[in-house]
Amino acid sequence: MKNFTILLAIMLTVKLVSAQWIQQNTGYPTNNHNLSDIMFVDQFHGWCVGTEENYGTIDGGNTWESMPNLPHNTNYWVYNSVFFIDQYNGWVSGNYGIYHTNNGGIGSLGTWEEQLHYPGPHFLTNKLLFSDTLNGWLACSVDFLGNYKAEIYKTEDGGLSWIQKFDGFLYGCFLNDIVFSDDLNGWAVGNKIVHSSDGGETWDTISNYPHDYYFSLRITSICFVDSLTGWTVGHTELLPENYSLIYHTSDGGDNWTIQGDTIKDYFLNDITFTDINNGWAVGTNGKIIHTSDGGQNWVPQESGVSTNLRSVCFIDENFGWICGDSLIVLYTENGGIVGLNDHSSIPGKLTIFPNPSKATTKISYELRMKEQATISIRNISGQLLRRIQAGNNKVGIYELNSTEFATGIYFITLITDTGILTEKLIIE
C-alpha cells in the first residue's frame, strides 16, 4: 500500500509539472451553462459573464462568488461582455442591456444599475470597452428586419447615455470585438473591419484586409499593443473544410499578413497580447496557442480540457485566465509554461527548510536584484491554497505553519518580474 501511495504521488507530481493551465472551477464538465467573457484588473480582482450564471473573485480565482443582483431572469438572458477599469467600477452588456456597478458587483451586496435597455433580444453580439470611468464604446449587431446590422456606440458620461457613432452594413453584417490602442486609434471587427483615428467619432472600412475568404470570414477578436501593431483571429466557413486564421499588421491596419499555417482542426475565438512579443489565442476543442516572438511562431499549450474556450485575459506575461463552455475557468501564473524550475529565466534562489517538514517551514529566497515577488502554495492537485505578497525586496523569508496543512506533497512557487522558481515541499 505504501509503494502504491508513493507511485501515485509521483504520477500526480508528473501530471502537475506537465500541466500548463490549472482548472479553477470544480463544476466542469457537469454544468451546461457557458461563460462568454473574462476580465481581470489585477492579480486578484476578476469577473466572468455568460449564460444565466455570472461570477466575480477577489482572490485571483481561488474562489468565485456569484453576482445574484445582476439581472438574469429568462432562459434567453446572455451576457457577452464584461469590462472593469478598477476593482469597483465595471460594466456588463448582453442581449437585453448594459449594466454598471461602482462596488464590484459581487455577492449579495453587489449592486447593478441598468444604463441602457434593449426592447428585446435584438443584439446578436456586443463588446464593451472603457478607457476610464467616463469614456467607453460598444460594438454590436442589431437585428434589423431579419438582417443583422453592425453598429458602434460611444459614451462620455460613464454609460448614462450612449450616442451612435457608426450605423452601417446591412444584410448579415455584424461586429464581434472592439479595441483602442490610445485615445484616438480604434478598430472593430466582425465580418468586416473598421477603423477610427479620431477617438471613435467616425469610422472607415479597411478595404485592404485579406479577402481570400471574404464572404465567409468571421473575425472573432482583435488586439493592438500600440497604434501600429495588432493581430486578429477568426475563421472561415467554407465547406467541406473550415479554417482558422491569424493576421498581423505592423502599420496600423494598412497591410495585413497571415501568421502560421492555416489551422483546420479548430476555430479561434479570442486573442490577447501583453506586449509586442507575448500573445495567446484560444478556441474550440480546448485549444490554447502561445507566441513569444510576436506571432512568427505559435506553440500549443495543454489546457487539459476539450470544451470550447471563448475568452482569454492576461494582466502581464505571467498571470492569465481563460473561460468557456460548461463554466470552465483556467488559470496560469507563469504564462502557461510550467516546470519545477524554469531554468531559462531563473531570478535567484528559493530555499525550503526543513523539508520534509512537520511543524514550521521556512521559505526563503535571494534574488539577483531587488524586485516585486509573490509566493504561492499549491497542493498536489494544483489547487491554490495561499498566495503571499512578499514585497519589493532582494531577499525575503516567510515562516509557514506546516500543521495547518494535511500530510502530503505541496509546491512552493516564487514569481518575480524576471522569472519563476518552484520547489517541492513534503509535509509529514
Side-chain angles (χ1 to χ4, degrees):
M1 182 65 181
K2 181 177 180 180
N3 292 336
F4 175 78
T5 303
I6 295 175
L7 177 60
L8 178 61
I10 294 173
M11 293 173 63
L12 289 173
T13 301
V14 172
K15 181 179 180 181
L16 178 62
V17 171
S18 63
Q20 295 174 314
W21 287 82
I22 297 169
Q23 185 179 315
Q24 286 193 322
N25 60 324
T26 58
Y28 173 83
T30 59
N31 195 305
N32 60 359
H33 297 162
N34 303 324
L35 294 173
S36 304
D37 197 20
I38 193 165
M39 169 79 182
F40 272 75
V41 295
D42 55 35
Q43 189 176 328
F44 305 103
H45 298 87
W47 300 261
C48 53
V49 297
T51 60
E52 300 188 44
E53 298 184 52
N54 310 285
Y55 298 94
T57 179
I58 60 173
D59 60 6
N62 188 37
T63 57
W64 289 90
E65 189 173 355
S66 65
M67 298 189 285
N69 294 326
L70 186 62
H72 54 282
N73 57 5
T74 76
N75 293 330
Y76 302 102
W77 206 291
V78 177
Y79 288 106
N80 303 307
S81 182
V82 56
F83 198 94
F84 274 73
I85 59 169
D86 55 41
Q87 67 187 71
Y88 303 109
N89 293 281
W91 297 259
V92 298
S93 67
N95 57 347
Y96 280 92
I98 298 176
Y99 295 84
H100 170 253
T101 181
N102 59 12
N103 63 3
I106 301 173
S108 59
L109 298 180
T111 59
W112 291 90
E113 177 187 6
E114 185 180 65
Q115 290 190 325
L116 180 64
H117 177 72
Y118 310 146
H122 301 304
F123 281 63
L124 176 64
T125 57
N126 49 58
K127 188 71 175 181
L128 278 170
L129 173 69
F130 277 78
S131 59
D132 52 45
T133 56
L134 297 177
N135 295 284
W137 297 266
L138 171 70
C140 57
S141 305
V142 184
D143 187 354
F144 183 77
L145 300 178
N147 291 292
Y148 284 101
K149 180 179 66 171
E151 296 183 352
I152 298 176
Y153 292 82
K154 182 179 181 180
T155 181
E156 297 178 345
D157 56 13
L160 296 177
S161 61
W162 292 85
I163 302 172
Q164 189 181 75
K165 296 297 182 179
F166 180 80
D167 180 15
F169 302 154
L170 294 177
Y171 311 113
C173 293
F174 52 86
L175 294 175
N176 289 326
D177 198 8
I178 187 170
V179 65
F180 273 77
S181 64
D182 50 49
D183 292 338
L184 297 177
N185 291 283
W187 296 260
V189 295
N191 53 357
K192 292 181 182 290
I193 180 169
V194 294
H195 172 246
S196 174
S197 59
D198 57 8
E201 293 296 321
T202 60
W203 296 83
D204 298 310
T205 304
I206 294 180
S207 58
N208 57 351
Y209 191 83
H211 290 175
D212 304 64
Y213 310 102
Y214 184 81
F215 292 105
S216 64
L217 184 61
R218 302 290 186 268
I219 309 172
T220 53
S221 179
I222 185 169
C223 175
F224 270 77
V225 294
D226 54 45
S227 61
L228 299 177
T229 311
W231 296 261
T232 66
V233 295
H235 61 267
T236 65
E237 297 173 346
L238 286 177
L239 297 176
E241 290 184 299
N242 300 321
Y243 301 86
S244 283
L245 303 167
I246 302 175
Y247 282 104
H248 170 64
T249 180
S250 57
D251 56 11
D254 289 339
N255 295 281
W256 296 83
T257 58
I258 194 168
Q259 287 190 330
D261 297 329
T262 300
I263 303 167
K264 296 183 180 181
D265 61 340
Y266 57 92
F267 288 161
L268 292 173
N269 295 322
D270 196 20
I271 189 170
T272 189
F273 273 74
T274 57
D275 52 53
I276 200 169
N277 293 315
N278 292 283
W280 295 259
V282 299
T284 56
N285 302 325
K287 289 295 183 178
I288 307 172
I289 55 177
H290 169 251
T291 179
S292 58
D293 57 12
Q296 297 181 47
N297 297 281
W298 289 88
V299 179
Q301 292 186 337
E302 180 60 47
S303 69
V305 298
S306 59
T307 192
N308 185 19
L309 303 179
R310 296 177 179 268
S311 178
V312 54
C313 171
F314 272 79
I315 59 171
D316 56 33
E317 64 184 53
N318 293 317
F319 290 92
W321 293 261
I322 295 170
C323 74
D325 292 357
S326 300
L327 300 184
I328 188 67
V329 177
L330 303 175
Y331 164 74
T332 181
E333 58 187 27
N334 58 2
I337 305 171
V338 303
L340 282 180
N341 278 316
D342 181 3
H343 295 284
S344 64
S345 181
I346 297 179
K349 183 179 180 181
L350 175 64
T351 303
I352 301 173
F353 182 84
N355 193 8
S357 174
K358 294 182 179 180
T360 300
T361 305
K362 290 186 177 181
I363 303 172
S364 61
Y365 65 88
E366 182 178 354
L367 304 177
R368 294 194 303 253
M369 64 183 74
K370 185 179 179 181
E371 58 180 329
Q372 194 72 36
T374 301
I375 298 172
S376 70
I377 303 172
R378 294 184 180 277
N379 60 21
I380 193 69
S381 300
Q383 180 185 9
L384 178 65
L385 303 178
R386 189 167 300 177
R387 182 182 285 128
I388 305 156
Q389 296 299 321
N392 188 16
N393 303 299
K394 187 174 181 180
V395 296
I397 186 169
Y398 176 78
E399 288 194 358
L400 180 69
N401 184 1
S402 303
T403 61
E404 297 179 1
F405 299 86
T407 301
I409 297 176
Y410 298 83
F411 292 90
I412 313 298
T413 301
L414 175 70
I415 304 171
T416 72
D417 293 336
T418 59
I420 298 171
L421 287 167
T422 301
E423 295 292 344
K424 181 171 64 175
L425 167 64
I426 299 175
I427 295 180
E428 296 180 337

